[in-house]
């Protein structure tokens, strides 16, 4: 059978942003084709397997996937797609191995404070005041389902359906656009807790408190208090598979190994895409899930965009890329291992300095099927600049040298890690760029809260939208899912969104 060459919407990329936008538009009744360059869907959240070990390429930290109380936008999307994932709830959420000692992180504020008080009793009190301010923001926000949001004035009648939330939000309006650093400055003097909040923000956005917007942090702390933190059974791949099933259930199409070379623009309008393997696809709406740099510099010709807009967009600063270690290890004697760890090596270097803060996930602790019997999968990563990386004679040695901070971090959790290795994959910014098709392998846009919000998904080209972590609200799985919702809803009428919302609220789709 010949493949269709026309659609209502073509989505470039099957990251969570592209999948959410594409699947929701299919759910709204549009003919959707998603073109994914890689042979595996999911972008930064794709899963892959080596010698029986199932690895997450990126995110392992999720929340509320299996908890009906959760306000996670991704869960709302899965609900209306009539899909779900089995999720494993766990606690503590992680252990932060700091130069001063190890801090277990618990969901509930009181438990979190109790642990912080072991380091600084005064700081623990101040942390309470800080988080309380975040709850004041989260409480009204959580009453407004993300699934109904849209990036235009059509949002007003939707918001008016939640008068109580709006009334509670009014006094918080200043905070909605502020950095969480402003709230931190007002509530916390203790230097240790200030560093802790910086770390929490860095783990979320790649930036410290003064760079991270308050609602994003409020959402994370609020969700932690009210809903479970959980991990998808089967790994991040299981989540992606649920979105792909949802897309297909509503007659959307996913074409893997289909790299888009160019977006076709005629008379200021996007009309279709040219594929690297040959051929074109036509649609009146094109959505790019590629990063803003890849979209504007690679997928379009310079003359397609106003020169000034193009220059300003391309000068958006980018967070560094990563060094990754994916290990399959022998699990003998590791019965007390826990899933998530963050290691800060030194206080004399900035938290964000390459190699200084290392993130570690061992999800086979929660889901043993991710590894052969008696083994574990380990993913450790840390920031690494793009500059200077090339595949030359020194590449292998440099890889090993730059992975050393990850090994040293892992030794804090599993002291004899180097003697347990069955599979070792060291990833560099070049690996990250290659497999994720991301400009310089970046984590995302480094847009400091003080300089403004992330750009919305509109572009100067009619019929061309963007979705994903370089659009509003920003980086991270829930944020990217929200960007997919905003994108999809901008292409349908408010009444269509209201009808979809009723599927959510009536529980018809559960
Ligand atoms: C190491 C790491 C750990 C993380 N950990 C967490 C975590 O624990 N929790 C959390 O919430 N968030 C985490 N994040 C952030 C989160 O994973 C990302 O913000 C999110 O997955 C990005 O999704 P996206 O849709 O914006 O883009 P991407 O995932 O980058 O997807 C874009 C897709 O577009 C495709 N594409 C690009 N160009 C083309 C083209 N020309 N033609 C066809 N296809 C193309 C790519 O192949 C890719 O599949 C992590 C990120 C990383 C990198």
């Amino acid at each position: 059978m010949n493949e269709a060459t026309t659609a209502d919407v073509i989505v470039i990329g099957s990251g969570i942003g592209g999948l959410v936008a594409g699947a929701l538009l299919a759910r709204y009744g549009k003919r959707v084709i998603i073109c994914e360059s890689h042979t595996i869907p999911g972008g930064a959240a794709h899963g892959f397997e080596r010698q029986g070990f199932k690895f997450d390429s990126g995110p392992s930290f999720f929340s509320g996937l299996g908890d009906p109380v959760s306000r996670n936008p991704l869960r709302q999307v899965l609900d209306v797609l009539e899909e779900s994932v089995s999720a494993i709830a766990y606690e503590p959420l992680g252990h932060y191995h700091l130069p001063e000692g190890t801090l277990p992180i618990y969901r509930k504020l009181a438990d979190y404070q109790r642990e912080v008080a072991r380091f600084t009793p005064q700081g623990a009190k101040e942390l309470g005041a800080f988080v309380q301010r975040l709850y004041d923001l989260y409480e009204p926000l959580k009453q407004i389902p993300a699934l109904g949001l849209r990036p235009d004035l059509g949002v007003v009648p939707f918001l008016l359906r939640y008068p109580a939330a709006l009334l509670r939000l009014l006094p918080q309006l200043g905070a909605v656009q502020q950095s969480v650093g402003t709230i931190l400055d007002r509530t916390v003097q203790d230097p240790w807790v200030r560093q802790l909040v910086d770390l929490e923000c860095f783990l979320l956005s790649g930036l410290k408190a003064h760079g991270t917007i308050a609602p994003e942090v409020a959402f994370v702390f609020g969700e932690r208090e009210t809903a479970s933190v959980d991990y998808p059974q089967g790994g991040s791949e299981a989540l992606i598979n649920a979105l792909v099933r949802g897309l297909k259930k509503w007659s959307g199409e996913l074409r893997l190994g289909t790299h888009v070379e160019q977006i076709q623009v005629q008379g200021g309008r996007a009309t279709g895409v040219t594929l690297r393997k040959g051929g074109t696809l036509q649609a009146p709406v094109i959505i790019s899930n590629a990063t803003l740099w890849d979209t504007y510099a690679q997928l379009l010709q310079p003359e397609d965009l106003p020169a000034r807009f193009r220059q300003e967009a391309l000068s958006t600063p980018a967070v560094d890329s990563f060094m990754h270690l994916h290990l399959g290890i022998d699990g003998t004697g590791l019965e007390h291992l826990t899933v998530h760890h963050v290691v800060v090596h030194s206080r004399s270097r900035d938290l964000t300095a390459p190699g200084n803060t290392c993130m570690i996930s061992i999800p086979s602790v929660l889901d043993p099927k991710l590894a052969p019997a008696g083994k574990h999968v380990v993913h450790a990563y840390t920031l690494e600049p793009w500059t200077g990386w090339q595949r030359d004679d020194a590449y292998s040695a440099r890889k090993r040298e730059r992975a050393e901070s990850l090994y040293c971090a892992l030794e804090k959790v599993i002291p004899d890690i180097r003697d347990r290795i069955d599979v070792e994959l060291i990833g560099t910014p070049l690996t990250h760029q290659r497999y994720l098709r991301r400009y310089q392998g970046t984590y995302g846009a480094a847009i400091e809260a003080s300089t403004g919000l992330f750009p919305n998904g509109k572009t100067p080209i009619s019929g061309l939208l963007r979705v994903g972590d370089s659009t509003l609200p920003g980086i991270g799985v829930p944020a990217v899912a929200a960007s997919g919702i905003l994108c999809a809803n901008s292409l349908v009428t408010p009444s269509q969104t209201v009808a979809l919302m009723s599927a959510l609220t009536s529980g018809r789709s559960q």
Side-chain angles (χ1 to χ4, degrees):
M1 198 178 70
N2 284 342
E3 283 191 320
T5 55
T6 60
D8 295 327
V9 180
I10 293 166
V11 182
I12 305 169
S14 69
I16 291 177
L19 283 173
V20 166
L24 281 181
L25 286 165
R27 176 71 173 83
Y28 278 122
K30 308 262 186 205
R31 284 180 307 134
V32 176
I33 300 176
I34 301 184
C35 298
E36 168 55 51
S37 174
H38 202 314
T39 50
I40 305 175
H46 79 267
F48 64 97
E49 187 168 339
R50 293 284 185 283
Q51 296 174 38
F53 292 95
K54 292 182 85 174
F55 294 107
D56 292 336
S57 63
S60 291
F61 196 86
F62 303 92
S63 67
L65 296 175
D67 187 342
V69 172
S70 164
R71 293 298 186 271
N72 186 339
L74 189 53
R75 193 190 144 88
Q76 293 175 18
V77 171
L78 288 171
D79 282 349
V80 290
L81 295 177
E82 301 176 10
E83 278 299 338
S84 61
V85 285
S86 300
I88 306 158
Y90 60 93
E91 183 142 44
L93 315 185
H95 288 86
Y96 293 174
H97 305 273
L98 307 167
E100 304 77 27
T102 292
L103 173 71
I105 305 295
Y106 288 93
R107 275 182 53 208
K108 299 270 179 194
L109 176 60
D111 297 330
Y112 192 179
Q113 281 181 288
R114 183 193 64 229
E115 296 298 329
V116 169
R118 290 194 296 113
F119 294 84
T120 157
Q122 176 58 23
K125 276 189 209 146
E126 294 178 5
L127 178 70
F130 169 72
V131 175
Q132 200 52 57
R133 291 293 303 275
L134 297 182
Y135 291 163
D136 293 343
L137 193 51
Y138 171 73
E139 281 302 321
L141 285 178
K142 82 167 189 197
Q143 292 170 37
I144 303 170
L147 193 70
L149 295 176
R150 50 191 301 128
D152 53 41
L153 285 177
V155 76
V156 175
F158 168 72
L159 291 178
L160 290 175
R161 295 157 68 108
Y162 302 93
L166 288 183
L167 271 178
R168 283 187 74 174
L169 202 53
L170 269 181
Q172 310 296 332
L173 275 185
V176 170
Q177 301 207 15
Q178 254 171 14
S179 92
V180 82
T182 316
I183 299 177
L184 183 69
D185 290 342
R186 289 196 194 121
T187 47
V188 181
Q189 269 74 53
D190 184 272
W192 196 82
V193 168
R194 289 178 68 86
Q195 284 177 331
L196 181 63
V197 173
D198 272 336
L199 177 62
E200 295 270 19
C201 293
F202 171 65
L203 297 176
L204 192 61
S205 69
L207 300 169
K208 292 193 285 189
H210 282 89
T212 307
I213 54 166
E216 192 177 356
V217 187
F219 186 81
V220 168
F221 276 88
E223 279 284 290
R224 271 188 199 175
E225 186 70 25
T226 49
S228 59
V229 168
D230 50 18
Y231 179 79
Q233 195 149 25
S236 64
E237 176 191 289
L239 189 56
I240 298 303
N241 288 345
L243 287 170
V244 171
R245 281 196 307 272
L247 168 79
K248 292 182 176 171
K249 180 180 290 173
W250 298 95
S251 306
E253 209 189 315
L254 171 64
R255 295 190 189 171
L256 296 173
T258 304
H259 185 90
V260 170
E261 200 70 52
Q262 280 285 292
I263 297 167
Q264 298 170 345
V265 180
Q266 282 165 18
R269 249 207 102 75
T271 56
V273 297
T274 312
L275 305 180
R276 181 172 284 173
K277 62 185 177 189
T280 59
L281 301 175
Q282 308 300 320
V285 175
I286 312 292
I287 298 172
S288 175
N289 183 206
T291 68
L292 77 89
W293 304 277
D294 293 291
T295 303
Y296 291 143
Q298 305 299 327
L299 292 172
L300 292 165
Q301 298 293 334
E303 60 273 19
D304 291 333
L305 291 164
R308 178 128 184 237
F309 171 88
R310 184 175 187 275
Q311 190 191 356
E312 277 179 12
L314 293 181
S315 63
T316 306
V319 181
D320 281 341
S321 185
F322 293 99
M323 289 301 300
H324 290 267
L325 259 186
H326 284 98
L327 303 177
I329 63 162
D330 180 14
T332 309
L334 298 179
E335 289 75 21
H336 302 295
L337 206 53
T338 55
V339 58
H340 292 299
H341 301 266
V342 176
V343 175
V344 178
H345 285 300
S346 158
R347 289 291 187 206
S348 60
R349 297 172 67 211
D350 196 81
L351 274 180
T352 61
N356 196 26
T357 302
C358 299
M359 284 60 75
I360 298 169
S361 292
I362 314 169
S364 48
V365 164
L366 301 175
D367 182 358
K369 289 201 175 124
L370 295 173
K375 311 277 180 183
H376 279 298
V377 280
V378 177
H379 178 203
Y381 54 97
T382 186
L383 285 185
E384 173 71 11
W386 165 259
T387 318
W389 279 96
Q390 47 201 338
R391 286 183 209 281
D392 54 15
D393 292 347
Y395 185 60
S396 290
R398 186 166 185 210
K399 255 167 92 156
R400 193 145 287 287
E401 180 221 319
R402 299 299 296 163
E404 196 47 33
S405 66
L406 293 172
Y407 270 117
C408 291
L410 275 166
E411 281 172 338
K412 304 226 185 248
V413 182
I414 308 170
D416 58 350
I417 182 88
R418 294 180 208 243
D419 301 328
R420 293 175 173 270
I421 298 168
D422 287 351
V423 173
E424 182 198 56
L425 302 167
I426 303 178
T428 70
L430 292 177
T431 326
H432 203 85
Q433 190 261 355
R434 178 169 174 210
Y435 286 102
L436 272 51
R437 296 7 178 200
R438 291 177 70 91
Y439 164 79
Q440 298 190 346
T442 178
Y443 182 56
I447 299 174
E448 296 266 349
S450 56
T451 64
L453 297 176
F454 276 59
N456 65 33
K458 272 190 170 174
T459 74
I461 299 172
S462 167
L464 175 63
L465 298 170
R466 291 194 309 109
V467 73
D469 62 11
S470 46
T471 66
L472 199 70
I475 301 173
V477 171
V480 161
S483 86
I485 292 171
L486 290 170
C487 177
N489 286 352
S490 73
L491 292 166
V492 298
T493 62
S495 57
Q496 284 174 287
T497 302
V498 168
L500 189 69
M501 297 290 301
S502 65
L504 181 71
T505 47
S506 69
R508 200 168 64 213
S509 54
Q510 309 221 349

